[in-house]
Amino acid sequence: GSCPGGSFDDVDDLVFAVGTGSPTLSPVPTLSPTITISPTASAHPSSAPMKSPTWAPTITLSPTTSAYPTPYAPTIVTEQPTLSMLSPSISPTLSIFPTVSSRAPVIEATYSTTYKSPKCSMIGSGCEATASLLKSRGNLDPPEPNASNTIDDCEDGNGGVYLEDESVESISVTSINGGPLVVGTEVQIDAVVWAWNKHADTVDFWHAPLSSTITNWVLIRSVKPTKSLSLNTVSTRFVLEDEGDNAVRVVIRYSGFPLACPGGDFDDVDDLVFVVGSGGGILAATYDDTLKAPKCSSVTRACYAGPSLLKSRGTVGLGEPNAPNTIDQCEDGNEGEYLVDESIESIKVTSIDGGDLVEGANVRVEAKVWVYGYGDHADFWYAADANLPEWNFAETVNMTVEMQFDTVSTEYILPEGDLQAVRVVFRFGGNATEPCPGGFYDDVDDLAFVVKST
């Protein structure tokens, strides 16, 4: 229970106030305490078992100022020292230096008159638009605040009744690793939606970089709610590729197809704008018209080609951008449906030691794939010369899941060569004897990158 009453039990409470928002936190000083430990006798009855002496430390704190930028306030984590049994006559002095870890806060969005939607203007570990900004839909009763909350004036449907028919209630974007939103970070989008019917309703997640005057919405994923006539939290993940202002869009629609602006009577469309910082050595690839595949043109510790370059397969669904994305024009299979049958969504090459991609370095290749079933296999290949590729086989990874995204990886040592390439073959059945298998459901994608000579 909360009050056990044992002879050796100690029970203490701490009362604290909870604020209504996310306050700006002041820098926390770096503490270098000197701890003097003086053992005293433990006054237990003679019938009690022997226990270690009670340590009564005297702590002197000498703070020095640490210049942490607002709103990044460090969390002080102090590890307890391991003490051996000492004679009561010994009074040791211990210096304990606390470990300082900083975690960017989740920023609460406010309505932007520029974008006509919620926006977080600072970089944090996440960005959230609450129900105070998004609840309801269009002109329902009550109406949605600042409807339609879309950066391109996409309108909501105005049919139905609030909390009976479809609506988006809140949207958040948060980093998986707890760090700030920077290029190369995997993030999770969470949306709270009201679903009328879990079978008829669908939630579509979209993303668009806002670095150009044209908004190019890219579908991330479509998800079905799990409950009818109820609030549902639905989620998906993707990797940030573009520095600067970015937007995610959540569409809940009744029936129909995944369109960035569907226009149905019961559809709700809401956007959230957030800022993405430059990555820590992670370089986003761009399409190279000479190689006909994504390429990182400068030396980096990690090279990443995301869904904006690789999503889908061949002509399946909305089509893979710049298909087939292979430096030798190996073709994809064009059978099946997107996010039902096989596709490669992203490829990343990273140095394992955290340094630049240099000849002789051990690297990890990761690919995010959509898995159809247990008969799918991911083959990894590499070439020392992206201009005249001779493909070397690295490894095959067999799928252990079905009908979902999965991340597969392998490792190899970079050979000599200043412009190298990796290839991922995601195939249904078959074997790994050829770097260009040619199956009806096979997806083949390459990523070229610059390597520093040793």
Side-chain angles (χ1 to χ4, degrees):
S2 60
C3 186
S7 300
F8 302 101
D9 299 345
D10 190 9
V11 182
D12 294 312
D13 297 338
L14 173 63
V15 179
F16 57 97
V18 177
T20 57
S22 301
T24 300
L25 303 176
S26 301
V28 178
T30 300
L31 305 179
S32 301
T34 300
I35 302 182
T36 304
I37 300 179
S38 304
T40 60
S42 180
H44 292 292
S46 58
S47 59
M50 285 295 295
K51 303 183 75 173
S52 302
T54 301
W55 302 99
T58 300
I59 303 178
T60 304
L61 303 179
S62 302
T64 58
T65 301
S66 293
Y68 288 92
T70 305
Y72 301 97
T75 302
I76 304 296
V77 182
T78 306
E79 297 181 357
Q80 294 183 347
T82 301
L83 303 179
S84 58
M85 178 64 70
L86 302 175
S87 166
S89 62
I90 298 176
S91 300
T93 298
L94 300 181
S95 293
I96 300 176
F97 298 93
T99 301
V100 180
S101 63
S102 59
R103 179 186 177 95
V106 174
I107 307 299
E108 186 169 328
T110 56
Y111 180 75
S112 168
T113 55
T114 301
Y115 284 114
K116 298 181 181 179
S117 68
K119 179 188 178 183
C120 294
S121 298
M122 295 193 307
I123 298 175
S125 64
C127 173
E128 180 181 20
T130 63
S132 64
L133 294 175
L134 298 180
K135 67 179 296 182
S136 191
R137 167 169 49 87
N139 295 325
L140 299 187
D141 184 17
E144 177 182 339
N146 301 302
S148 60
N149 284 300
T150 56
I151 63 177
D152 53 8
D153 296 322
C154 176
E155 294 292 336
D156 299 327
N158 292 308
V161 178
Y162 179 54
L163 294 187
E164 288 185 15
D165 298 286
E166 295 81 356
S167 65
V168 177
E169 297 294 294
S170 68
I171 305 172
S172 66
V173 179
T174 53
S175 63
I176 301 300
N177 64 9
L181 300 178
V182 297
V183 172
T185 299
E186 186 178 19
V187 298
Q188 179 163 311
I189 310 173
D190 293 301
V192 176
V193 300
W194 179 273
W196 176 73
N197 184 289
K198 66 181 181 180
H199 302 292
D201 293 341
T202 304
V203 180
D204 303 318
F205 293 93
W206 300 79
H207 167 257
L210 303 180
S211 54
S212 66
T213 56
I214 300 175
T215 304
N216 180 27
W217 290 108
V218 175
L219 179 65
I220 302 171
R221 191 181 182 187
S222 298
V223 180
K224 302 293 287 186
T226 58
K227 296 178 287 186
S228 300
L229 290 176
S230 178
L231 290 173
N232 292 252
T233 299
V234 289
S235 306
T236 192
R237 293 184 178 186
F238 76 109
V239 177
L240 300 175
E241 301 178 50
D242 301 276
E243 186 177 355
D245 286 352
N246 283 248
V248 294
R249 168 166 288 182
V250 177
V251 177
I252 183 168
R253 56 183 167 86
Y254 170 71
S255 189
F257 300 95
L259 299 173
C261 188
D265 289 339
F266 299 94
D267 299 344
D268 194 5
V269 182
D270 289 319
D271 298 341
L272 174 60
V273 179
F274 56 97
V275 183
V276 177
S278 58
I282 301 175
L283 185 62
T286 57
Y287 180 75
D288 186 281
D289 196 51
T290 301
L291 293 174
K292 305 298 182 183
K295 172 187 171 183
C296 289
S297 299
S298 59
V299 175
T300 179
R301 74 171 182 87
C303 174
Y304 174 76
S308 64
L309 294 174
L310 298 179
K311 68 176 299 178
S312 191
R313 167 172 47 88
T315 59
V316 173
L318 299 177
E320 177 182 341
N322 302 302
N325 283 300
T326 55
I327 58 182
D328 55 8
Q329 295 303 291
C330 173
E331 294 291 336
D332 298 326
N334 293 309
E335 297 297 321
E337 299 179 42
Y338 180 54
L339 296 186
V340 174
D341 298 286
E342 296 79 359
S343 67
I344 297 168
E345 300 293 295
S346 68
I347 302 173
K348 183 168 68 172
V349 181
T350 309
S351 66
I352 292 178
D353 65 4
D356 288 337
L357 297 172
V358 300
E359 295 172 345
N362 197 14
V363 297
R364 177 179 295 110
V365 185
E366 295 176 307
K368 184 177 182 180
V369 296
W370 175 266
V371 184
Y372 169 76
Y374 302 118
D376 293 341
H377 313 274
D379 304 325
F380 292 90
W381 301 77
Y382 65 93
D385 185 351
N387 292 304
L388 296 170
E390 294 183 5
W391 295 108
N392 300 282
F393 176 71
E395 185 182 4
T396 294
V397 178
N398 301 316
M399 297 300 102
T400 58
V401 297
E402 58 183 351
M403 285 297 170
Q404 67 181 63
F405 287 110
D406 196 13
T407 299
V408 291
S409 65
T410 191
E411 297 178 6
Y412 76 101
I413 297 175
L414 291 177
E416 293 183 357
D418 59 359
L419 183 61
Q420 302 189 25
V422 293
R423 165 167 290 183
V424 180
V425 175
F426 195 50
R427 57 183 167 83
F428 172 71
N431 53 63
T433 57
E434 295 293 336
C436 187
F440 293 141
Y441 298 94
D442 298 346
D443 195 4
V444 182
D445 289 319
D446 298 342
L447 174 59
F449 52 95
V450 174
V451 175
K452 184 189 298 182
S453 60
T454 53

